């Protein structure tokens, strides 16, 4: 194979590997099904890791979840009150993902709000769920404890959500009670740490540095290959 063609092929392989690694880092995040922060006691909750094949799920207080074998997802068939709290996952290198803070209640009312941040400009629906009455009902919605809206369908939609809509929300149903509070998070872009501007700069610099070092190495090998640089060994003076 022509030496120049070999150099080009090696360079392209390095770039492809770096890009693949960066794309994988961007997808490194924890998700939950159903996509909400509040659950009734004894409901099923599934966590899954995106961006890696194997991961370990961790509870802030309990540590690594023993009932979850190492894999890409984990389902807790029946959640209990002490399962409330912050969750994340760690990959084989011990790198930690984003975290999700869920709330388990023994009451009859929960607020269904997205577990992952909502991107600005999108529509988001908050639903007040009654454990005992699944049909439509009048629900009141609150932000930071202040009444903001009521709806006969049990849900409210925020159109073209913005950062000003971020905050603590809860709902209540007459005769059934009120839900715990949950934080609605709004972001301009993905909240994965690797998607932040500072991290992107680091990834670009790392890629450029790697390409330069590979190019210099290939140049050195090329010069040696063409004979322009010759390895020399010092000559010892003969002893007369």
């Amino acid at each position: 194979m022509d030496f120049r063609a070999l150099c080009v092929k090696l360079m392209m392989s390095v770039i492809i590997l770096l890009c693949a690694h960066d794309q994988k880092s961007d997808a490194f995040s924890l998700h939950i099904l159903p996509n909400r922060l509040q659950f009734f006691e004894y409901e099923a909750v599934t966590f899954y890791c995106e961006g890696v094949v194997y991961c370990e799920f961790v509870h802030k207080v309990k540590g690594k979840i023993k009932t979850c074998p190492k894999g890409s997802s984990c389902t807790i068939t029946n959640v209990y009150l002490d399962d409330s709290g912050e969750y994340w996952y760690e990959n084989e290198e011990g790198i930690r993902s984003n975290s999700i803070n869920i709330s388990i209640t023994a009451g009859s009312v929960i607020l269904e709000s997205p577990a992952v941040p909502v991107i600005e400009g999108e529509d988001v629906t908050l639903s007040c769920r009654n454990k005992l009455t699944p049909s439509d009902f009048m629900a009141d919605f609150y932000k930071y404890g202040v009444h903001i809206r009521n709806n006969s369908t049990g849900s409210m939609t925020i159109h073209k959500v913005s950062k000003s809509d971020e905050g603590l929300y809860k709902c209540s149903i007459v005769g059934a009670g009120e839900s715990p509070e949950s934080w609605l998070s709004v972001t301009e872009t993905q909240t994965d740490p690797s998607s932040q501007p500072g991290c992107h700069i680091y990834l670009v610099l790392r890629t450029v540095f790697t390409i330069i070092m590979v190019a210099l190495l290939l140049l050195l090998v090329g010069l040696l290959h063409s004979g322009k640089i010759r390895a020399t060994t010092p000559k010892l003076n003969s002893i007369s």
Side-chain angles (χ1 to χ4, degrees):
M1 179 184 293
D2 180 74
F3 181 75
R4 291 184 180 178
L6 176 61
C7 291
V8 172
K9 185 175 181 180
L10 290 173
M11 182 70 73
M12 292 302 297
S13 297
V14 171
I15 295 174
I16 292 172
L17 288 173
L18 287 170
C19 291
H21 181 271
D22 292 344
Q23 290 173 355
K24 187 174 181 180
S25 297
D26 288 341
F28 190 78
S29 58
L30 173 67
H31 292 267
I32 186 172
L33 289 175
N35 178 24
R36 50 186 164 92
L37 294 173
Q38 297 182 17
F39 296 87
F40 293 118
E41 196 173 20
Y42 311 121
E43 279 193 302
V45 180
T46 298
F47 299 95
Y48 67 95
C49 50
E50 183 177 310
V52 295
V53 178
Y54 299 106
C55 61
E56 292 182 292
F57 297 91
V58 183
H59 184 272
K60 184 176 182 179
V61 176
K62 297 181 178 181
K64 293 181 179 178
I65 305 175
K66 296 180 181 179
T67 56
C68 292
K70 200 170 183 180
S72 60
S73 65
C74 165
T75 298
I76 303 177
T77 306
N78 295 297
V79 289
Y80 300 96
L81 298 180
D82 62 355
D83 289 317
S84 296
E86 186 179 1
Y87 289 82
W88 65 84
Y89 75 76
E90 297 174 358
N91 67 0
E92 293 181 323
E93 299 174 353
I95 300 175
R96 174 176 165 172
S97 72
N98 62 303
S99 61
I100 293 178
N101 201 329
I102 68 172
S103 175
I104 314 299
T105 179
S108 300
V109 179
I110 61 172
L111 175 68
E112 295 185 337
S113 60
V116 295
V118 182
I119 298 176
E120 275 191 307
E122 292 185 344
D123 294 345
V124 59
T125 298
L126 305 180
S127 298
C128 201
R129 182 177 167 193
N130 189 341
K131 185 178 181 180
L132 304 177
T133 308
S135 57
D136 292 346
F137 43 79
M138 180 66 71
D140 292 281
F141 294 87
Y142 303 81
K143 182 179 181 182
Y144 293 119
V146 178
H147 185 269
I148 56 173
R149 196 179 305 180
N150 57 14
N151 197 304
S152 59
T153 63
S155 64
M156 61 169 280
T157 299
I158 304 173
H159 298 284
K160 295 183 179 180
V161 68
S162 65
K163 287 293 288 185
S164 63
D165 294 310
E166 197 171 62
L168 279 173
Y169 289 82
K170 69 177 181 179
C171 68
S172 67
I173 300 172
V174 177
E178 67 176 26
S179 72
E181 289 184 312
S182 281
W183 181 267
L184 176 65
S185 182
V186 181
T187 182
E188 294 180 0
T189 57
Q190 295 180 1
T191 57
D192 191 286
S194 62
S195 67
Q196 299 301 319
C199 190
H200 275 308
I201 293 174
Y202 163 75
L203 293 175
V204 170
L205 291 176
R206 186 194 67 186
T207 302
V208 171
F209 175 77
T210 304
I211 292 175
I212 291 174
M213 294 304 296
V214 172
L216 291 175
L217 178 61
L218 292 175
L219 177 62
L220 178 61
V221 173
L223 292 174
L224 289 172
H225 180 78
S226 63
K228 293 183 179 180
I229 298 180
R230 299 181 181 277
T232 59
T233 56
K235 293 182 180 180
L236 297 176
N237 294 327
S238 58
I239 301 176
S240 56

